[in-house]
Amino acid sequence: MIRGHVAERSGPRIPGLDRSVPVWVAAALTLVVLMALPLGWIGWVSVSSEDGPTLAHYATVFRDPQLQKALWNTVVMAFWVGLASVAIGAPLAWLTARTDLPGKTLIRGLIMASFVTPPFLGAFAWVMLAGPNAGLLNRLYRDLSGADGALVNIFTMPGLIFVVAIYTFPYVYIMVANTLALIASDLEEAAAILGAGRLRVAATVTLPMVAPAILSGFILAVLQALALFGSPAILALPAGFHTITTQIWSFFHYPPKVEMAAAFSIPLLLATALLLQVQKRLLGRRGYASIGGKGGRRRAIPLGFWRYPALGGCLALLACAIFLPYGVLAKAALSRAWAQPLTWDNLTLANFTFTFFEYSATQSAVLNTLELGVMTATVGAGLAALLAYVTNRRLIVGHQILAFLALAPIVIPGVVLAVGLFIAYTRPPLLLYGTLWILFVAYVTKEMPVGYSQADATFKGVHPELEEAGRILGAGRLRVLGEITAPLARSGIIATWCFIFIGVIRELSASIILFTPATKVISVVIFDLKEEGQFGPIAVLGLFMLAMTFATVVLMQRVLGRDFMGAKE
Amino acid sequence: MAQRWRLAMTVLGVLAFLSGAAPAPAQDVRLEAAKKEGKVVWYTSLVLPSAEKVAKLFEAAYPAIKVEVHRTGSQRILQKLMQELQANIKNADVVHTSDAGHFVLLKEKKLLMHYTPAGVDKFPASFKDRDGYYYGLRATVNVIAYNTKIVSAAEAPKSWKELLDAKWKGKLVTAHPGYSGVIATHVLALANHYGWDYFKQLAQNRAMIVQSAADPSAVVASGERPVAVNGGDYSAYQLKKKGSPIEIVYPKDGVPLVVSPTAITVFAPHPNAAKLFTDFTFTKDVQQVMADSEGLYTGHPEVKYPADKPKLGELKLLQVDPEELEKRNEEIKKRFVEFFGA
């Protein structure tokens, strides 16, 4: 989904001024403001006090043993999530891209479902599945084995890592699968002819070629884990430990310690920036001649006896990510008491009526979410398309800076962005806190890297020759854009829209700090309900959110004519 | 139960009819103004289904006025309220939390309207602010709850001290004073009674940590943990009434009493609707509904409690001073996190 931005030298630079320049300038300024304002405020507040500049907040943050623990927990969690994601994602990618595994379409569909599942919903479902005592899997285990203890306890660090990893591995999967799809089979076949077994070929020939993709996927997974708020809030807090994001959130409890939140945001910001830099290096150095060669053939490697065991393994894994969690959510949505068996007595639609018709916060949250989703997706896709067009056609001096700015928000975790926006927009001249606008600004900023990468790929596929032809025939740039480029880029832009929309409707980590009671969104309502242990309504809203997401995915697939994770069959 | 409920609805319907048909002149002015305002925004920590029930009763009595319920934990209500004010947002009309300390703070900051709801003059002193800014809308006591399928009545802990026994290791659930005013009050009451050492020892038993004071009972009812070491008795009572396998223990060494105040904000965007709503929540009928179906205690002297609940007078109540609660709020949260980890 997020591509390393490797600038290609294609298309001539068209010099000179024309009427479109103010448009590009405005777009650039917008980006600068989106980024600079929150980050600038975080930096400033983290070093300011009533008596002038100070490093006291940093000193407090790094001396407090509670906060040190939170830092360490975050490192441990993110590292293991990265490893687990590789352990799941890479083999799955190999199986679906290079072998004759049966049911590949199904497997890819399920991986996509896990990709779009909001991790906090997954965490929530796993509370019902693997709570040590009431969790359904543990109860089943006790019933079957007669044992006293629990098979798994989800309220632990390993539990948290597991739940995060089953929704994060698709990042590794996509990276590796897309790379594998580009590698010709020649080398593998040569090795096979020389007598190497299938596993040996995979380990000694294929693996080194995809190693950069694996590492880069590992880093993406680590970044995802670092930035998560919902899953740790649901699983780590009951277990009695914090991560950086939950700790930053708790700094906002009354009386708020915004300067501490700002100071504690900086390590997270730096870690993210550093990791992305490493990832960029990795992708930039990818110089294997065998990758990207168009001439090579790709042959499916026969799994032989292992075909069905491998399929079984894949399905078991995806059961953890999809079937079991969705099943338990559906059950909770229909039950009076989620932990009791689903008998006629326990069956009810009351959760649905309560959620949608009796709880007055729901309807406005649904409307807010839809409104924000449509607004952000429309403005965000428009802005992303504009920027991608400018950078691809190199229309202005400094277009590289624009590309950098558009991708830069990826270094800002949602919670950190929210801290910055909170500080920036709770004071004049722009009092946006308390309105939907502050959420809108947060979402546009947060989704810009995703939107830009998508739009960038789209414009790379639209050749400049056609535009030049139009220009030669006398059309202005805006007219060329409207009549030639736009129609060609249409489906790519719609996909960008859908990506952003999906990102917005599930957003929690920025919303949880920026909402006010009048501007709640669905994810925040779910979080409120969680505080009270209202499993039924949470399940109803969760399923509703999933349904909206899948409707968008289906729309996108219709438009693109393929599934949106990128690799072709 | 259902019959009582229907009775309450009928009474309310009649009241609504009367207030429409033969209103007192003074009230008429206020009602007209409230109708123009169209809604009242209620920040409340009352457990969600109960809050929605009260809101629906009001909307039935005053069909032209909607109640916007924003339910979350006491501490988060204060947090949002103060954050909103910092950004000059005036959204809340009526604020109701279970942390009496909040109201001391809000009063000091001159954020509360001086308003005495109709009928509260008969309420006991512990339900009233002596300066007339806030009044106790309801009360609950903090109790121990246990799952009857897992723990027998004989084994069940009878006192706060018994929870320290190592046999409960890994079997307890607690709510968090950083979210819940009920729990903040509870922690202060027990810390005053037994010292902080009590919580230090309790933390050795590795309790599962949840947020709202309503959640420990839900966790116990689901069987996730057999024993809740705190939580308002009303949520456990409601679950028990619905047939969940849960039983309540009123510890003999004393039960912390939590009186949850309500007040109108000084900046209320819908002041007339807010007054109407506040008066309404203090009427005998609504207070009776809270006692009946919701299992709460109230300050209303004429309210009759369900026969299966102890009377407040039968319990040894541990009370805390709202001003002390306000002053020590930070300390309570800090200590809890220090002992329990999050």
Side-chain angles (χ1 to χ4, degrees):
Chain A
M1 183 169 83
I2 294 129
R3 290 172 186 81
H5 183 67
V6 190
E8 276 175 36
R9 305 275 160 232
S10 66
R13 171 136 180 254
I14 306 162
L17 274 172
D18 69 35
R19 276 172 304 167
S20 56
V21 166
V23 183
W24 319 139
V25 173
L29 277 179
T30 310
L31 273 186
V32 171
V33 171
L34 282 183
M35 290 280 302
L37 215 54
L39 289 188
W41 274 113
I42 287 184
W44 171 246
V45 168
S46 74
V47 296
S48 61
S49 73
E50 285 173 9
D51 314 320
T54 173
L55 288 176
H57 308 311
Y58 288 97
T60 324
V61 162
F62 291 107
R63 240 185 274 138
D64 187 328
Q66 291 293 335
L67 301 186
Q68 283 169 4
K69 261 188 239 161
L71 276 171
W72 178 242
N73 290 332
T74 311
V75 171
V76 170
M77 174 190 73
F79 176 76
W80 285 104
V81 165
L83 278 192
S85 298
V86 168
I88 305 170
L92 271 177
W94 182 73
L95 284 170
T96 53
R98 301 311 296 268
T99 71
D100 62 346
L101 182 81
K104 280 190 218 172
T105 320
L106 171 72
I107 301 286
R108 286 181 61 82
L110 290 171
I111 293 172
M112 188 178 71
S114 133
F115 187 51
V116 299
T117 303
F120 67 87
L121 267 186
F124 192 78
W126 271 94
V127 168
M128 293 189 273
L129 286 168
N133 301 306
L136 299 181
L137 294 180
N138 283 320
R139 290 220 313 258
L140 193 66
Y141 164 76
R142 276 193 295 271
D143 288 351
L144 293 180
S145 71
D148 256 355
L151 184 62
V152 274
N153 179 359
I154 210 69
F155 298 110
T156 54
M157 180 59 96
L160 175 63
I161 291 166
F162 166 76
V163 173
V164 175
I166 55 176
Y167 298 105
T168 308
F169 82 85
Y171 289 91
V172 180
Y173 173 86
I174 293 167
M175 283 252 135
V176 177
N178 286 346
T179 306
L180 280 172
L182 292 173
I183 300 177
S185 307
D186 315 16
L187 285 175
E188 290 169 341
E189 279 164 17
I193 289 166
L194 291 173
R198 276 187 291 267
L199 268 181
R200 180 133 184 247
V201 170
T204 58
V205 180
T206 321
L207 190 64
M209 286 197 286
V210 292
I214 290 181
L215 252 175
S216 152
F218 169 81
I219 291 176
L220 276 185
V222 168
L223 287 173
Q224 286 300 315
L226 281 181
L228 271 190
F229 167 76
S231 314
I234 291 166
L235 297 175
L237 294 183
F241 67 92
H242 269 296
T243 61
I244 297 183
T245 50
T246 59
Q247 185 65 57
I248 290 176
W249 171 68
S250 72
F251 279 132
F252 278 82
H253 294 170
Y254 192 83
K257 301 177 198 73
V258 178
E259 64 296 331
M260 297 280 280
F264 207 49
S265 297
I266 301 288
L268 190 54
L269 196 63
L270 290 181
T272 318
L274 186 78
L275 282 169
L276 275 168
Q277 197 55 38
V278 173
Q279 195 218 18
K280 209 174 147 193
R281 287 274 163 85
L282 278 173
L283 287 178
R285 264 193 311 167
R286 180 171 66 179
Y288 298 91
S290 302
I291 300 178
K294 281 182 183 168
R297 290 175 307 120
R298 280 170 288 277
R299 249 167 23 107
I301 298 163
L303 289 171
F305 167 79
W306 292 103
R307 280 186 85 198
Y308 287 96
L311 176 65
C314 294
L315 287 178
L317 234 154
L318 289 160
C320 293
I322 305 297
F323 299 135
L324 290 172
Y326 288 16
V328 80
L329 283 175
K331 182 191 178 224
L334 291 168
S335 312
R336 276 176 223 283
W338 69 269
Q340 305 303 318
L342 199 54
T343 54
W344 283 113
D345 281 351
N346 196 20
L347 200 65
T348 177
L349 286 176
N351 292 320
F352 287 86
T353 45
F354 179 81
T355 308
F356 289 114
F357 304 109
E358 285 166 30
Y359 184 23
S360 50
T362 311
Q363 288 181 10
S364 81
V366 168
L367 287 177
N368 285 342
T369 306
L370 284 175
E371 196 178 320
L372 280 165
V374 170
M375 244 169 35
T376 312
T378 308
V379 173
L383 193 58
L386 193 65
L387 291 165
Y389 180 74
V390 174
T391 50
N392 264 285
R393 300 293 181 261
R394 289 183 239 160
L395 291 177
I396 54 167
V397 186
H399 57 86
Q400 302 95 327
I401 300 174
L402 273 189
F404 170 78
L405 281 175
L407 289 169
I410 194 164
V411 307
I412 319 179
V415 168
V416 176
L417 179 65
V419 173
L421 292 175
F422 178 81
I423 306 170
Y425 295 120
T426 41
R427 61 185 83 216
L430 275 174
L431 274 172
L432 296 186
Y433 181 72
T435 65
L436 284 180
W437 291 110
I438 196 166
L439 292 170
F440 169 74
V441 171
Y443 296 165
V444 168
T445 315
K446 213 182 155 202
E447 298 300 325
M448 192 44 64
V450 172
Y452 177 79
S453 322
Q454 184 67 33
D456 186 48
T458 303
F459 282 113
K460 284 212 165 73
V462 178
H463 287 281
E465 289 87 351
L466 285 172
E467 294 174 6
E468 281 153 31
R471 299 272 298 177
I472 290 163
L473 292 174
R477 176 163 302 124
L478 288 179
R479 187 160 167 217
V480 167
L481 194 58
E483 290 181 8
I484 297 174
T485 320
L488 287 172
R490 196 179 131 265
S491 68
I493 303 301
I494 295 177
T496 310
W497 193 97
C498 293
F499 261 116
I500 298 179
F501 185 77
I502 292 173
V504 167
I505 53 178
R506 62 192 268 181
E507 211 293 328
L508 173 67
S509 59
S511 317
I512 196 70
I513 288 175
L514 296 175
F515 85 96
T516 61
T519 56
K520 274 183 201 167
V521 290
I522 298 177
S523 57
V524 168
V525 170
I526 291 180
F527 197 78
D528 276 355
L529 290 165
K530 189 220 76 117
E531 195 180 86
E532 216 181 287
Q534 298 276 355
F535 286 69
I538 295 172
V540 169
L541 276 175
L543 292 174
F544 179 71
M545 190 185 256
L546 286 171
M548 284 212 296
T549 307
F550 283 115
T552 317
V553 169
V554 169
L555 168 75
M556 194 150 73
Q557 282 178 342
R558 281 278 157 82
V559 170
L560 290 179
R562 61 173 168 87
D563 87 40
F564 75 95
M565 285 190 299
K568 314 124 198 93
E569 272 303 328
Chain B
M1 210 68 206
Q3 253 176 350
R4 254 207 196 133
W5 178 236
R6 225 172 290 138
L7 182 71
M9 288 300 282
T10 317
V11 170
L12 288 168
V14 170
L15 273 179
F17 176 71
L18 287 178
S19 68
Q27 206 185 356
D28 188 36
V29 174
R30 204 169 67 173
L31 183 60
E32 283 312 309
K35 275 185 184 164
K36 280 202 196 81
E37 291 164 1
K39 70 170 177 182
V40 52
V41 180
W42 188 27
Y43 287 19
T44 177
S45 68
L46 184 58
V47 61
L48 186 59
S50 304
E52 288 296 343
K53 190 173 279 182
V54 171
K56 292 290 168 298
L57 286 174
F58 180 78
E59 285 172 358
Y62 299 96
I65 308 164
K66 289 263 160 277
V67 184
E68 210 176 283
V69 177
H70 292 294
R71 193 279 156 193
T72 184
S74 299
Q75 311 293 351
R76 282 181 74 204
I77 289 176
L78 183 70
Q79 172 203 347
K80 279 293 159 192
L81 189 71
M82 300 311 278
Q83 274 184 19
E84 289 189 323
L85 281 172
Q86 196 198 340
N88 210 20
I89 297 164
K90 291 157 179 162
N91 189 38
D93 291 306
V94 180
V95 178
H96 169 56
T97 84
S98 289
D99 189 320
H102 291 168
F103 292 82
V104 175
L105 177 84
L106 293 170
K107 186 170 89 174
E108 271 172 15
K109 290 189 179 291
K110 307 208 181 311
L111 293 171
L112 300 183
M113 184 190 283
H114 193 272
Y115 181 72
T116 307
V120 293
D121 45 324
K122 291 169 291 182
F123 279 41
S126 58
F127 280 74
K128 293 193 270 197
D129 168 37
R130 55 179 178 274
D131 302 321
Y133 285 90
Y134 55 88
Y135 292 86
L137 178 65
R138 44 119 181 177
T140 185
V141 288
N142 260 292
V143 292
I144 296 170
Y146 64 93
N147 187 305
T148 51
K149 281 190 185 160
I150 308 172
V151 178
S152 71
E155 289 174 292
K158 309 288 181 300
S159 72
W160 303 112
K161 284 277 190 180
E162 278 179 50
L163 295 168
L164 303 180
D165 195 317
K167 75 174 175 185
W168 299 117
K169 191 160 194 160
K171 299 200 154 75
L172 306 177
V173 52
T174 176
H176 199 302
Y179 304 88
S180 161
V182 171
I183 303 303
T185 312
H186 167 86
V187 170
L188 181 59
L190 286 196
N192 284 344
H193 204 58
Y194 289 125
W196 282 117
D197 209 44
Y198 169 77
F199 287 99
K200 196 174 178 180
Q201 287 181 48
L202 186 63
Q204 303 300 313
N205 277 341
R206 312 286 317 157
M208 172 183 177
I209 304 163
V210 296
Q211 294 166 357
S212 163
D215 206 6
S217 331
V219 169
V220 165
S222 78
E224 182 49 59
R225 294 293 160 114
V227 177
V229 304
N230 52 32
D233 77 326
Y234 75 112
S235 43
Y237 180 78
Q238 285 181 38
L239 284 165
K240 189 177 150 187
K241 285 276 145 192
K242 280 189 204 145
S244 291
I246 190 169
E247 193 49 70
I248 304 170
V249 176
Y250 296 88
K252 294 279 175 284
D253 36 349
V255 285
L257 173 71
V258 184
V259 177
S260 314
T262 187
I264 302 174
T265 59
V266 73
F267 51 81
H270 315 101
N272 293 292
K275 287 174 187 167
L276 217 54
F277 178 72
T278 302
D279 282 3
F280 179 79
T281 54
F282 280 100
T283 55
K284 190 193 162 206
D285 303 280
V286 176
Q287 297 261 311
Q288 186 65 57
V289 167
M290 286 190 201
D292 281 342
S293 61
E294 312 308 296
L296 289 158
Y297 293 100
T298 87
H300 203 292
E302 290 156 42
V303 161
K304 302 272 183 296
Y305 293 98
D308 55 356
K309 283 201 80 168
K311 308 277 170 292
L312 276 187
E314 297 163 7
L315 299 169
K316 183 187 170 199
L317 297 177
L318 305 176
Q319 305 213 35
V320 302
D321 172 34
E323 272 159 42
E324 188 191 0
L325 186 59
E326 203 278 301
K327 277 199 202 81
R328 297 182 64 187
N329 217 321
E330 273 298 278
E331 181 196 351
I332 293 167
K333 281 190 250 177
K334 204 171 156 30
R335 280 296 178 111
F336 188 88
V337 171
E338 187 186 316
F339 297 145
F340 289 86

